[in-house]
Amino acid sequence: MQTVVLIKQVPDTATRIKIGPDGKDIQRDGLTLVLNPYDEYAVEEALRLREQHGGTVTVMTLGPARADEALRSALAMGADEAVRVDGKPQDALQVGWALAQAIRTLSPDLILCGKQAVDDDQAEVGALVAEFLDLPQATVAVALSVDPAAHSASAKREVEGGLQQLAFSLPAVVTAQKGLNEPRYPSLPGIMKAKRKEIAVLSADLGIEPGLELVRLTPPEARKAGTVLKDLSGADAGAELVRLLHEDAKAI
Ligand SMILES: Cc1cc2nc3c(=O)[nH]c(=O)nc-3n(C[C@H](O)[C@H](O)[C@H](O)COP(=O)(O)OP(=O)(O)OC[C@H]3O[C@@H](n4cnc5c(N)ncnc54)[C@H](O)[C@@H]3O)c2cc1C
């Protein structure tokens, strides 16, 4: 079974983000970049399916040369091949289009993605890839089973108060939700092997007009300074705190 996993390199969520001088991108110098956490579930699921059914796992990203690091993280987890699609897309439509064209050349049985990228949070790429390749899609999956011989699969999704089970034919696109599995840590031999592995680089086909223009990024409002209750203690401090929560913060 051939599986392609789409992965994105994103800033670590613990990093302090600053907006760049043009107001349209973040400052990337000195940022800690990691494999998108939801993509770790997608990689892990692909590895487990390979263990069950055989085949290969190819990880693919669209991004600049520094995104090779994310590919190497996935290789260190156990992926077999890595492809970087090189290009500068302008929106999710172009990302989805370029990835779909690159995936087409591999004819996989299954395409796995994270449910969303934790930096831009658009949750669009998996759905766009499925549409551009005219494939069924199961989004935000917490369980997946496949029968490659019968070209069929089944996925479970969490819905309010229960689980929804879907059946679909392969090839298909599935986006991974937290809980799908517990991603493994890369082994030391895996890390060493990943360092030497060649990464295939393709030029991005951006042959679709972007649908959106990013107008501006704005930082969240600066936090107001806290209030210090001076010269109050015990019940007096408690009463004043309740008054402030009620009248100023309108929290109670
Ligand atoms: C190098 C680069 C430059 C960009 N420049 C601009 C710009 O100037 N202006 C602008 O508006 N937008 C730009 N974008 C697009 C934008 O930043 C988002 O990446 C895009 O809109 C997708 O949304 P998202 O990241 O929220 O992904 P989501 O749709 O939330 O991601 C869901 C899943 O799709 C997959 N995925 C997402 N992105 C990628 C990827 N790049 N490679 C492989 N898999 C992926 C992952 O599995 C991920 O978990 C750029 C993107 C890249 C990669």
Side-chain angles (χ1 to χ4, degrees):
M1 191 172 108
Q2 317 301 325
T3 305
V4 169
V5 188
L6 298 179
I7 63 171
K8 187 180 181 196
Q9 189 183 45
V10 296
D12 188 332
T13 48
T15 314
R16 233 186 149 73
I17 302 285
K18 283 198 186 132
I19 295 173
D22 67 353
K24 294 198 173 192
D25 201 357
I26 57 171
Q27 285 179 2
R28 295 185 189 268
D29 295 346
L31 272 188
T32 308
L33 298 166
V34 296
L35 177 57
N36 179 39
Y38 292 109
D39 301 353
E40 289 183 6
Y41 298 108
V43 174
E44 176 63 35
E45 197 62 17
L47 299 177
R48 289 182 189 205
L49 291 173
R50 185 188 63 190
E51 282 155 13
Q52 275 175 32
H53 303 289
T56 58
V57 174
T58 302
V59 285
M60 180 183 285
T61 194
L62 168 55
R66 62 168 162 69
D68 284 356
E69 276 310 303
L71 291 171
R72 292 201 192 279
S73 301
L75 287 168
M77 285 174 73
D80 302 288
E81 305 293 337
V83 178
R84 181 166 61 81
V85 184
D86 192 74
K88 181 119 181 38
Q90 287 181 43
D91 68 354
L93 199 68
Q94 286 196 325
V95 173
W97 176 266
L99 288 170
Q101 306 320 310
I103 292 165
R104 221 188 274 280
T105 64
L106 301 174
S107 305
D109 301 291
L110 178 67
I111 299 144
L112 284 164
C113 309
K115 70 156 182 155
Q116 74 192 81
V118 297
D119 53 354
D120 292 308
D121 278 332
Q122 301 199 88
E124 288 183 22
V125 170
L128 285 165
V129 166
E131 282 305 302
F132 287 137
L133 295 175
D134 199 17
L135 296 178
Q137 54 176 309
T139 57
V140 198
V142 291
L144 175 65
S145 61
V146 302
D147 181 348
H151 303 287
S152 66
S154 142
K156 286 185 184 154
R157 314 175 61 248
E158 271 173 0
V159 289
E160 190 68 34
L163 287 175
Q164 187 183 58
Q165 186 167 352
L166 304 172
F168 47 95
S169 60
L170 295 177
V173 177
V174 177
T175 74
Q177 164 69 309
K178 184 177 176 186
L180 179 61
N181 51 49
E182 192 57 51
R184 67 195 68 188
Y185 288 106
S187 64
L188 194 57
I191 294 170
M192 300 311 287
K193 215 169 130 196
K195 279 190 182 165
R196 294 190 299 270
K197 185 87 189 172
E198 193 152 328
I199 292 174
V201 180
L202 305 177
S203 272
D205 173 349
L206 299 176
I208 189 169
E209 285 295 308
L212 298 172
E213 184 197 351
L214 174 66
V215 180
R216 191 167 54 242
L217 291 170
T218 40
E221 264 183 44
R223 260 192 173 179
K224 289 187 193 133
T227 306
V228 179
L229 301 184
K230 283 189 202 138
D231 308 324
L232 288 174
S233 62
D236 291 344
E240 178 61 3
L241 186 59
V242 168
R243 189 194 67 75
L244 286 169
L245 284 169
H246 183 59
E247 291 176 14
D248 289 10
K250 305 212 184 314
I252 52 173

